[in-house]
Amino acid sequence: MSSERPSVELCKGIYGLDKVVLREIRGTSAEVYLYGGQVTSWKNDHGEELLFLSSKAVFKPPKAIRGGIPICFPQFGSHGTLEQHGFARNKLWSIDTDPPPFPTNSSSKAFIDLILKSSDEDFKLWPHSYEFRLRVALGPGGDLMLTSRIRNTNTDGKPFTFTFAYHTYFLVSDISEVRVEGLETLDYLDNLRERERFTEQGDAITFEGEVDKVYVSTPTKIAILDHEKKRTFVLRKDGLPDAVVWNPWDRKAKAIPDLGDDDYKHMLCVEAAAVEKPITLKPGEEWRGRQELSAVPSSYCSGQLDPQKVLHGS
Ligand code: BG6
């Protein structure tokens, strides 16, 4: 359904949770839950869903929603003292009615600003004061842009350190027919082998089994090609040096209660992240991390994202 002008609507979603629906003129849309500050839907101008959301997703706090774009903060993964992927994804965010000026010259009119601040509850686990501002914007062409601004508001003079990821679940027609371009020949930490470091070989990445890798210091552009759908997702990132690639495959999928047994065939997580080198902010300092997604016909960029060429121009 195309609307005449961009719109931003606050309404009730599953389990009565507040959600914001962004709509652009050509009919593209996105949905953001205040719970987790989590994008759960992104649709193109044909109304086709582009993000995976598990059929068994639980929209009941404190369980994180399985699918869309969970925010991992202040800890990515299980390396650290906090719960897996930190607490931001299972907190209730607020609408930020008066965000500080945004320096980007984006022409987007369909956007929402959310904010998460430290609470007494979090303070016991992570004794720091912070303000996390998230802007979710839908561009006029349907691109989905997420910008995070995290500020250290500690009054005790102490810095804090965090890791981060936009844990994006892309919806794909068949994982066996998907390839990822832009990460070949790069180093990665293999989460399936106690984060040992390896170098990716050869050609574009394809999928034949479980994968859980943190590619480090990647180029800013990564493409996910869905052969069957003839669709390519282009992920652009800024301030986020790493990229996590995750698919649980059949055995692990069965062990995840909020994931259907065959769901792994239709999802691929490619996550713009800062994992290898944690980010440290002194009081008053702000960090910014941005991810921009677009979905284009597949002929667009196959073979053009060889990281060696992108990084070294050869
Ligand atoms: C990925 C991690 O980002 O998220 C995996 O690399 C993890 O190790 C996966 O299994 C899912 O995590 P969770 O906590 O949402 O089940």
Side-chain angles (χ1 to χ4, degrees), residues 149-197:
R149 297 185 284 177
I150 297 172
R151 178 175 289 277
N152 181 335
T153 54
N154 273 340
T155 52
D156 58 5
K158 289 198 179 130
F160 64 61
T161 296
F162 64 91
T163 49
F164 180 95
Y166 292 116
H167 194 310
T168 307
Y169 286 77
F170 291 97
L171 180 64
V172 297
S173 38
D174 176 359
I175 186 68
S176 308
E177 300 284 320
V178 168
R179 56 193 207 139
V180 175
E181 293 184 2
L183 301 175
E184 51 276 25
T185 71
L186 298 180
D187 280 6
Y188 63 88
L189 312 176
D190 196 339
N191 277 331
L192 301 178
R193 298 198 217 172
E194 288 163 357
R195 307 233 294 180
E196 202 182 326
R197 196 177 184 106

Side-chain angles (χ1 to χ4, degrees), residues 248-270:
W249 220 253
D250 55 352
R251 204 168 46 87
K252 200 158 272 176
K254 287 198 178 85
I256 300 177
D258 57 346
L259 195 63
D261 285 0
D262 284 337
D263 277 355
Y264 76 94
K265 293 178 183 164
H266 306 294
M267 56 155 275
L268 177 64
C269 289
V270 180

Side-chain angles (χ1 to χ4, degrees), residues 1-7 23-28:
M1 189 184 68
S2 55
S3 49
E4 280 173 17
R5 60 181 65 173
S7 69
R23 290 193 182 85
E24 256 299 342
I25 38 171
R26 291 182 203 151
T28 58

Side-chain angles (χ1 to χ4, degrees), residues 99 102 104 111-114 133-137 145-148:
F102 228 78
T104 52
F111 64 85
I112 186 74
D113 285 295
L114 301 182
R133 291 191 159 81
L134 171 69
R135 174 170 288 193
V136 181
M145 293 158 287
L146 278 76
T147 309
S148 291

Side-chain angles (χ1 to χ4, degrees), residues 266-282:
H266 306 294
M267 56 155 275
L268 177 64
C269 289
V270 180
E271 312 167 30
V275 175
E276 191 200 22
K277 296 185 183 123
I279 291 149
T280 298
L281 291 179
K282 293 192 195 115

Side-chain angles (χ1 to χ4, degrees), residues 26-41:
R26 291 182 203 151
T28 58
S29 65
E31 294 188 3
V32 191
Y33 273 74
L34 266 51
Y35 178 57
Q38 188 160 336
V39 175
T40 54
S41 169

Side-chain angles (χ1 to χ4, degrees), residues 236-251:
R236 291 182 180 82
K237 59 194 177 77
D238 188 33
L240 296 159
D242 308 325
V244 183
V245 177
W246 179 62
N247 183 294
W249 220 253
D250 55 352
R251 204 168 46 87

